[in-house]
């Protein structure tokens, strides 16, 4: 069975600094997709960034980038120039397709605090 | 365009009762997934519907069921409620239901079982 592990329950970063959130996963599949989601205190989850496992190039979305190490099954999220609005729960997620559908498995989450 | 709407936002029930939660996806979206979020277990996949058909199901007992209507709106039902069913239930919709499709989440329904 696939699993997703986020070993940092909480992280803290100073405004304008850089922080890296860790995620490891376990799978025997070669074709899958990885995501980072953000859940602010208002609870609505939004997609931050996604990565296709077959792509070696790390995904980047503005201040958010990932370090995808397929062999090590590691998928960390780097937030540069942290802003107060980045404070939230961050979930790492693994998704694979099945015939006619898909299933997403989430990590336990990392709560990020941003200090002014 | 309106986002994913979940109703009600809050529910209080007692053990043994049943409950129905509703999810209206973004207009045009055909895939709806349901998740249970608890502090101890995190987010767990319940099931996914596409064009009124359940395509995938998570590891939950048969007390958890769902359905999707022809307009893509979805409901999930939990029968014989247990204290452990207290959770935030999230619904997410996507346009095509493809594995790489972006899922848009609703704000959730907070269920408390007393």
């Amino acid at each position: 069975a696939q699993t997703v592990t986020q070993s940092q329950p909480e992280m803290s970063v100073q405004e304008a600094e850089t922080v890296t959130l860790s995620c490891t996963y376990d799978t025997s599949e070669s074709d899958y997709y990885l995501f980072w989601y953000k859940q602010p205190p208002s609870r609505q989850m939004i997609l931050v960034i996604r990565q296709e496992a077959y792509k070696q190039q790390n995904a980047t979305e503005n201040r958010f980038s990932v370090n995808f190490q397929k062999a090590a099954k590691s998928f960390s999220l780097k937030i540069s120039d942290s802003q107060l609005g980045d404070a939230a729960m961050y979930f790492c997620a693994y998704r694979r397709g099945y015939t006619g559908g898909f299933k997403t498995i989430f990590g336990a989450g990392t709560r990020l605090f941003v200090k002014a | 365009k309106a986002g994913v709407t979940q109703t009600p936002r809050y529910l209080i029930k007692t053990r043994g009762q049943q409950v129905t939660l509703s999810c209206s996806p973004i207009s045009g979206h055909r895939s709806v997934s349901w998740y249970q979020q608890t502090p101890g277990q995190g987010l767990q996949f319940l099931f996914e519907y596409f064009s009124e058909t359940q395509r995938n199901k998570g590891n939950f007992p048969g007390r958890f069921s769902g359905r999707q209507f022809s307009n893509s709106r979805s409901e999930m039902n939990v029968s014989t409620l247990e204290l452990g069913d207290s959770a935030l239930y999230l619904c997410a919709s996507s346009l095509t239901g493809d594995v790489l499709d972006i899922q848009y989440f609703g704000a959730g329904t907070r269920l408390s079982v007393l």
Side-chain angles (χ1 to χ4, degrees):
Chain A
Q2 295 89 11
T3 57
V4 177
T5 302
Q6 292 180 250
S7 58
Q8 307 151 316
E10 293 184 352
M11 290 283 284
S12 178
V13 64
Q14 201 71 33
E15 200 176 5
E17 299 287 304
T18 295
V19 65
T20 299
L21 309 184
S22 301
C23 173
T24 58
Y25 58 94
D26 187 26
T27 184
S28 58
E29 304 296 326
S30 59
D31 190 17
Y32 51 87
Y33 305 86
L34 299 165
F35 303 79
W36 278 98
Y37 285 90
K38 171 184 176 181
Q39 188 179 41
S42 64
R43 301 182 312 187
Q44 201 136 6
M45 191 104 69
I46 56 174
L47 177 68
V48 175
I49 198 166
R50 59 182 172 176
Q51 173 84 41
E52 293 92 325
Y54 60 84
K55 288 187 179 178
Q56 292 188 342
Q57 186 172 3
N58 290 324
T60 300
E61 288 285 344
N62 301 314
R63 299 182 295 107
F64 299 88
S65 62
V66 298
N67 183 3
F68 173 48
Q69 302 289 327
K70 190 171 184 179
K73 297 180 183 174
S74 169
F75 182 62
S76 60
L77 173 71
K78 185 171 86 170
I79 306 174
S80 304
D81 186 26
S82 295
Q83 301 174 358
L84 294 177
D86 294 334
M89 278 289 284
Y90 286 82
F91 293 95
C92 176
Y94 163 99
R95 186 187 299 172
R96 62 157 290 197
Y98 292 83
T99 302
F102 63 87
K103 192 181 290 188
T104 308
I105 299 168
F106 287 83
T110 296
R111 183 170 298 281
L112 178 66
F113 296 95
V114 181
K115 301 178 198 173
Chain B
K1 193 182 254 191
V4 178
T5 304
Q6 292 188 247
T7 56
R9 292 293 303 276
Y10 302 92
L11 264 178
I12 300 176
K13 293 287 187 178
T14 55
R15 277 180 299 175
Q17 287 187 309
Q18 75 163 17
V19 67
T20 299
L21 313 182
S22 179
C23 172
S24 292
I26 292 172
S27 177
H29 284 198
R30 298 173 64 190
S31 169
V32 173
S33 297
W34 287 89
Y35 300 88
Q36 181 195 65
Q37 185 177 13
T38 59
Q41 299 294 321
L43 272 142
Q44 292 188 287
F45 172 74
L46 279 155
F47 24 67
E48 187 246 345
Y49 286 89
F50 182 83
S51 291
E52 303 179 65
T53 301
Q54 185 183 91
R55 297 197 297 185
N56 277 298
K57 191 175 190 301
N59 296 325
F60 278 82
R63 299 185 297 106
F64 291 82
S65 63
R67 59 179 175 169
Q68 186 181 34
F69 301 94
S70 59
N71 61 358
S72 293
R73 189 178 72 85
S74 178
E75 289 182 346
M76 69 162 279
N77 183 274
V78 188
S79 62
T80 319
L81 283 166
E82 299 177 0
L83 295 178
D85 297 332
S86 294
L88 178 66
Y89 290 87
L90 294 172
C91 156
S93 76
S94 66
L95 183 61
T96 65
D98 183 76
V99 65
L100 194 55
D101 208 5
I102 295 174
Q103 286 186 296
Y104 295 87
F105 284 80
T109 294
R110 170 76 63 188
L111 172 64
S112 297
V113 182
L114 306 177

